[in-house]
């Protein structure tokens, strides 16, 4: 059964860089049928799409991030990662990694990791 | 960006009730719509994709309908485990966008 697990620091200082990794187990990240993405949810608020990556490295980001975000993939480790530069308190959120089926909808999610910018 | 608007933002219902949630897109998205359920402190769970297709393992009391700009999620007979927040998501174009959520509460 496919599982995704986020990891990374829970506390980041303002103006610094947030770095998270998603480890995929129970399946290969190098699949032609799936993309891999990041979504976040500020405390008490709704879901915001951050971006996604294909195993080949092809990416798409939410323009709202204003080019601060980068998603990368390491197929040898079956992992993909998110870095977000110049963070502010507005970046405080639960960050989820998830599998994007057919580049359309998220059918498998990680449990989420809380990142606080302070 | 395509804006997704859900209504109501909150609904109080009893076990056994029929509950309907509406999601409207700011422009036509054909049938490129998904519905998710999120329980407190948990990750969202995919319920419906392509507007009306039931994700594997999801109970048949959940159903979705609509196309274009207006969509509905219906829970035919609300069960205790269905009290949660529900989100729609358009899958027509990037950036993918979500509705603001509908909180289904116990009456």
């Amino acid at each position: 059964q496919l599982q995704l697990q986020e990891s990374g620091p829970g506390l980041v200082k303002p103006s610094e860089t947030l770095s998270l990794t998603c480890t995929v187990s129970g399946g290969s990240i190098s699949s032609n049928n799936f993309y891999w993405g990041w979504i976040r949810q500020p405390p008490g608020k709704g879901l915001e799409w951050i971006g996604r990556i294909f195993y080949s490295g092809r990416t798409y980001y939410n323009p709202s991030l204003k080019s601060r975000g980068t998603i990368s993939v390491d197929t040898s480790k079956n992992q993909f990662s998110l870095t977000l530069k110049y963070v502010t308190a507005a970046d405080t959120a639960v960050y989820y990694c998830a599998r994007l089926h057919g580049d359309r909808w998220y059918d498998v999610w990680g449990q989420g990791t809380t990142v606080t910018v302070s | 960006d395509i804006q997704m608007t859900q209504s109501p933002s909150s609904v109080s219902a009893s076990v056994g009730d029929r509950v309907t949630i509406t999601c409207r897109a700011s422009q036509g998205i054909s049938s490129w719509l998904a519905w998710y359920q999120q329980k407190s402190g948990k990750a969202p769970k995919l319920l419906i994709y392509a507007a009306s297709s039931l994700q594997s393992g999801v109970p048949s009391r959940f159903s979705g309908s609509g196309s274009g700009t207006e969509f509905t999620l219906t829970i035919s007979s609300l069960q205790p485990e269905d009290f949660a927040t529900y989100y729609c998501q358009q899958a027509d174009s990037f950036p993918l966008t979500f509705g603001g959520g509908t909180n289904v509460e116990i009456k």
Side-chain angles (χ1 to χ4, degrees), chain B residues 4 6-8 10 17-18 20 27 31-32 39 50 52 57-58 61-62 64 68 78-79 84 86 93 101-102 105:
Chain B
M4 306 301 293
Q6 283 184 237
S7 61
S10 182
D17 284 354
R18 181 182 183 90
T20 298
Q27 63 190 71
S31 296
W32 298 117
K39 296 183 179 179
S52 60
V58 174
R61 63 181 178 273
F62 291 93
L78 198 65
Q79 298 302 300
Y86 294 83
S93 62
T102 296
E105 303 173 320

Side-chain angles (χ1 to χ4, degrees), chain A residues 39 41 47-49 96-110, chain B residues 4 6 21 23 32-39 42-51 53-55 58 62-64 72-75 82-92 96-104:
Chain A
I39 306 99
Q41 186 170 35
L47 299 163
E48 180 184 24
W49 185 75
Y96 296 100
C97 62
R99 186 176 78 174
L100 190 58
H101 188 109
D103 217 9
R104 300 283 185 185
W105 23 75
Y106 292 100
D107 63 346
V108 182
W109 293 67
Chain B
M4 306 301 293
Q6 283 184 237
I21 299 168
C23 180
W32 298 117
L33 186 100
W35 289 98
Y36 301 87
Q37 175 195 67
Q38 186 179 34
K39 296 183 179 179
K42 301 293 186 182
K45 172 187 173 183
L46 179 64
L47 298 176
I48 302 283
Y49 63 93
S53 295
L54 196 66
Q55 174 69 351
V58 174
F62 291 93
S63 64
T72 59
L73 172 70
T74 299
I75 309 171
D82 301 336
F83 291 96
T85 301
Y86 294 83
Y87 294 93
C88 61
Q89 175 232 315
Q90 65 83 14
D92 178 75
L96 304 181
T97 47
F98 294 87
T102 296
N103 187 26
V104 177

Side-chain angles (χ1 to χ4, degrees), chain A residues 2 8 15-17 26 31 33 35 37 41 44-45 51 56 64-65 72-74 82 92 94 100 111:
Chain A
L2 190 78
S15 79
E16 295 191 346
T17 297
S31 168
N33 296 321
Y35 288 75
Q41 186 170 35
K45 296 189 178 181
S56 64
S64 68
L65 295 179
S72 58
V73 64
D74 187 337
L82 168 70
T92 293
V94 176
L100 190 58
Q111 64 184 29

Side-chain angles (χ1 to χ4, degrees), chain A residues 22-50:
Chain A
C22 182
T23 300
V24 179
S25 59
S28 174
I29 202 170
S30 302
S31 168
N32 286 322
N33 296 321
F34 305 109
Y35 288 75
W36 307 89
W38 291 94
I39 306 99
R40 68 181 181 180
Q41 186 170 35
K45 296 189 178 181
L47 299 163
E48 180 184 24
W49 185 75
I50 295 173

Side-chain angles (χ1 to χ4, degrees), chain A residues 1 6 8 11 15 26 37 53 70 75 79 83 96 101 118:
Chain A
Q1 182 180 355
E6 306 88 350
L11 183 64
S15 79
I53 191 165
T70 301
T75 54
Q79 294 176 333
T83 59
Y96 296 100
H101 188 109
S118 177

